[in-house]
Amino acid sequence: MKSIGNGDPQVCVQNILNITRGQAPYLRGMGLNGDLYDKPMEEVKPLALADAEEQIETYEKRVQILSIDAVETKDHNLKIIPEITIVEI
């Protein structure tokens, strides 16, 4: 998490995507599914995208997902890239 600006919707979305489910005290359901680690990328990508979309929709009501994609990084991790817009609540 950042030292400042954690209340911004964009930062909240990134925080959701950067933690593993079970890591956040009092919000144990928040974060990406840790069971997806160490599985083949072809199998993980669609599951991670669906999980990320569900997590954003559940925990960050101030944004709407326009699109979501994932790319494999040089160190063979999956980076999820959501395109979002802020909505009024």
Side-chain angles (χ1 to χ4, degrees):
M1 300 212 180
K2 295 184 173 188
S3 60
I4 59 171
N6 278 315
D8 295 334
Q10 299 92 330
V11 174
C12 291
V13 167
Q14 287 306 312
N15 288 340
I16 291 167
L17 298 177
N18 287 329
I19 63 173
T20 302
R21 193 166 297 137
Q23 265 186 318
Y26 306 109
L27 289 172
R28 295 290 181 189
M30 180 189 289
L32 297 180
N33 185 350
D35 293 338
L36 299 178
Y37 291 104
D38 294 331
K39 293 193 182 218
M41 194 61 69
E42 301 80 29
E43 181 182 332
V44 168
K45 186 175 178 180
L47 297 172
L49 288 173
D51 191 33
E53 187 172 352
E54 179 182 345
Q55 289 294 303
I56 294 168
E57 289 173 350
T58 300
Y59 290 103
E60 188 47 77
K61 303 288 186 192
R62 299 175 294 171
V63 301
Q64 179 181 7
I65 301 170
L66 301 175
S67 67
I68 191 164
D69 197 13
V71 294
E72 186 175 357
T73 63
K74 290 179 184 178
D75 55 353
H76 304 289
N77 289 319
L78 194 65
K79 179 176 174 122
I80 298 173
I81 306 166
E83 182 182 348
I84 59 172
T85 186
I86 298 173
V87 296
E88 295 292 322
I89 295 181

